[in-house]
């Protein structure tokens, strides 16, 4: 569905990404892992059209994303969830307006009753209720804001979500709840994820394949089990050693998630 071939990107004299090639198939969850500065977000920006690669091609369903019609289609079919939920929400807009904007852009206006039902359905997908529609971002917890961002990304009915460190701004218990929501959405809809993270524990919990970046290059890729349990690259083993206690932590139970979320939200 998504294919990168030989993608390279530099900023002034700094080479951010070098000869990166990988694919994301329909219904797949792929983790893109590396330390800060390894090129993860630069790749995401190139996929989303926020930056243009210096070299290489990015294709969507077999067609180059550089083509105008393909880019227009991909604007709806590829959505993103950013790292900081508060800075990615308009503080002057209510939740109703935030979620209505993508619906208006892609599907046109609809009667208020039908629109409200659609908005409440979006909120239900991320375990929120319709009484939040009249609220502003500052009236919500950080975890609720991030779930609003996920609901907004789901509104255009995309096929791929690019998740750029979507859990790093959240408390641990809220991270677990959002992760379970993302897992449930994948099971129920078959949507694909490109999950950008530095947390191998998250990769082990949700991803099917993982790509490890170091200094803008892919140093290892494969199934989660192959990469995390049988890392062949020295840099991958070094990354795993740095986060080993996290990577092999037992996932929290549903009761722990619910109790923790109640305390934080």
């Amino acid at each position: 569905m998504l294919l990168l071939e030989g993608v390279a990107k530099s900023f002034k004299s700094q080479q951010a990404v070098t000869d990166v090639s990988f694919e994301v198939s329909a219904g797949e969850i792929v983790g893109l892992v590396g330390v800060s500065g390894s090129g993860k977000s630069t790749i995401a920006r190139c996929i989303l059209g926020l930056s243009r690669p210096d070299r290489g091609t990015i294709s969507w369903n077999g067609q180059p994303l550089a083509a105008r019609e393909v880019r227009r289609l991909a604007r709806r079919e590829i959505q993103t969830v950013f790292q900081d939920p508060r800075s990615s929400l308009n503080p002057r807009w209510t939740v109703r307006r935030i979620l209505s904007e993508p619906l208006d852009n892609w599907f046109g206006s609809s009667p208020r009753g039908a629109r409200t039902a659609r908005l409440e359905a979006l909120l239900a997908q991320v375990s929120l209720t319709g009484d939040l529609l009249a609220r502003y971002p500052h009236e919500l917890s950080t975890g609720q804001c991030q779930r609003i961002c996920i609901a907004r990304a789901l509104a255009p009915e995309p096929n791929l979500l690019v998740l750029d460190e979507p859990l790093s701004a959240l408390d641990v218990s809220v991270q677990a709840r959002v992760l379970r929501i993302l897992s449930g959405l994948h099971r129920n809809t078959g949507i694909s994820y490109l999950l950008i993270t530095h947390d191998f524990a998250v990769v082990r919990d949700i991803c099917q394949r993982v790509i490890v970046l170091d200094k803008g290059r892919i140093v290892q890729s494969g199934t989660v089990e192959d990469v995390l349990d049988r890392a062949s690259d020295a840099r991958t083993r070094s990354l795993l050693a740095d986060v080993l206690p996290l990577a092999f932590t037992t996932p929290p139970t549903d009761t722990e998630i619910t109790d923790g979320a109640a305390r934080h939200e």
Side-chain angles (χ1 to χ4, degrees), residues 145-205:
C145 285
Q146 189 63 302
R147 284 188 277 165
I148 295 297
C149 291
I150 295 171
R152 178 180 61 185
L154 294 173
E157 301 176 3
N159 294 318
L160 172 68
L161 284 188
V162 177
L163 305 167
D164 191 0
E165 300 275 11
L167 306 177
S168 62
L170 308 178
D171 292 337
V172 173
S173 60
V174 182
Q175 286 182 8
R177 182 165 189 167
V178 171
L179 190 60
R180 295 301 173 95
I181 289 170
L182 291 172
S183 296
L185 286 169
H186 173 72
R187 287 194 304 270
N188 295 332
T189 67
I191 193 171
S192 299
Y193 297 151
L194 178 62
L195 175 63
I196 297 168
T197 183
H198 61 272
D199 190 339
F200 281 98
V202 173
V203 169
R204 182 179 287 279
D205 198 45

Side-chain angles (χ1 to χ4, degrees), residues 171-178 180 249-265:
D171 292 337
V172 173
S173 60
V174 182
Q175 286 182 8
R177 182 165 189 167
V178 171
R180 295 301 173 95
T249 297
T250 301
T253 65
D254 289 336
T255 301
E256 290 170 337
I257 292 168
T258 302
D259 291 346
R263 288 193 300 271
H264 289 282
E265 296 195 16

Side-chain angles (χ1 to χ4, degrees), residues 76-252:
R76 182 181 70 82
E77 295 187 341
I78 305 175
Q79 294 293 312
T80 188
V81 177
F82 295 101
Q83 179 176 357
D84 184 355
R86 293 198 180 277
S87 66
S88 59
L89 295 175
N90 190 329
R92 296 178 179 270
W93 285 9
T94 63
V95 171
R96 175 182 290 275
R97 187 172 178 186
I98 288 169
L99 297 182
S100 291
E101 184 186 36
L103 296 177
D104 291 340
N105 287 343
W106 294 108
F107 306 116
S109 59
S110 57
R112 184 174 179 84
R115 173 55 53 83
T116 297
R118 176 65 179 129
L119 297 180
E120 289 177 344
L122 282 172
L123 290 175
Q125 285 187 286
V126 294
S127 300
L128 294 174
T129 55
D131 61 320
L132 298 184
L133 288 173
R135 297 193 189 180
Y136 291 87
H138 73 271
E139 298 177 299
L140 307 175
S141 71
T142 303
Q144 288 172 325
C145 285
Q146 189 63 302
R147 284 188 277 165
I148 295 297
C149 291
I150 295 171
R152 178 180 61 185
L154 294 173
E157 301 176 3
N159 294 318
L160 172 68
L161 284 188
V162 177
L163 305 167
D164 191 0
E165 300 275 11
L167 306 177
S168 62
L170 308 178
D171 292 337
V172 173
S173 60
V174 182
Q175 286 182 8
R177 182 165 189 167
V178 171
L179 190 60
R180 295 301 173 95
I181 289 170
L182 291 172
S183 296
L185 286 169
H186 173 72
R187 287 194 304 270
N188 295 332
T189 67
I191 193 171
S192 299
Y193 297 151
L194 178 62
L195 175 63
I196 297 168
T197 183
H198 61 272
D199 190 339
F200 281 98
V202 173
V203 169
R204 182 179 287 279
D205 198 45
I206 193 174
C207 295
Q208 297 153 346
R209 285 195 299 117
V210 58
I211 299 162
V212 182
L213 285 176
D214 183 64
K215 298 179 180 178
R217 294 180 181 273
I218 294 177
V219 296
Q220 189 170 354
S221 64
T223 66
V224 171
E225 292 77 12
D226 284 341
V227 174
L228 269 61
D229 297 337
R230 296 178 290 276
S232 60
D233 180 80
R235 286 160 292 190
T236 304
R237 291 196 298 270
S238 177
L239 282 172
L240 279 170
D242 290 340
V243 297
L244 197 60
L246 287 177
F248 297 97
T249 297
T250 301

